[in-house]
């Protein structure tokens, strides 16, 4: 993720596809819906991912915020668990 939490640009017509994982890494793809656009949610997710030592990307789409993170199973689980606990003041997560 870059400082704004955005995914690196993919060539036209292609989705960002991460390389295969090592044996000790896991990858989780999330789609977070609710009030998550225009309220500081993507920078919040970026900060949480950094705190947990995770790699990945986040981008807005028609369903909300799409997130892909990868790292140790413990770090990914901790990241996922914390998302709804420390939301920016105007954000509301439905799913």
């Amino acid at each position: 993720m870059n400082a704004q939490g955005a995914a690196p640009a993919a060539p036209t017509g292609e989705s960002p596809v991460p390389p295969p994982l090592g044996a000790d890494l896991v990858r989780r793809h999330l789609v977070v819906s609710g009030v998550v656009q225009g309220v500081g949610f993507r920078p919040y997710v970026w900060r949480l991912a950094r705190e947990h030592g995770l790699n990945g990307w986040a981008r807005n789409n028609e369903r909300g915020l799409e997130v892909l993170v990868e790292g140790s199973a413990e770090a990914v689980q901790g990241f996922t668990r914390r998302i709804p606990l420390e939301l920016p003041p105007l954000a509301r997560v439905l799913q």
Side-chain angles (χ1 to χ4, degrees):
M1 266 184 229
N2 65 23
Q4 289 75 37
T12 304
E14 295 181 26
S15 295
V17 177
L21 294 174
D24 57 340
L25 297 177
V26 297
R27 182 178 294 141
R28 173 150 307 155
H29 180 251
L30 308 165
V31 177
V32 184
S33 61
V35 180
V36 296
Q37 295 186 22
V39 295
F41 191 75
R42 194 175 48 188
Y44 161 70
V45 167
W46 178 82
R47 181 182 56 79
L48 281 182
R50 297 270 306 192
E51 287 178 10
H52 287 277
L54 299 172
N55 294 311
W57 49 261
R59 63 183 174 197
N60 292 326
N61 68 23
E62 67 280 353
R63 296 179 293 171
L65 185 72
E66 183 178 10
V67 179
L68 183 127
V69 292
E70 59 186 31
S72 72
E74 181 180 344
V76 170
Q77 184 178 37
F79 166 81
T80 304
R81 191 174 32 241
R82 280 183 62 194
I83 288 175
L85 301 179
E86 304 168 26
L87 296 174
L90 298 176
R92 299 290 176 264
V93 171
L94 299 177
Q95 180 179 359

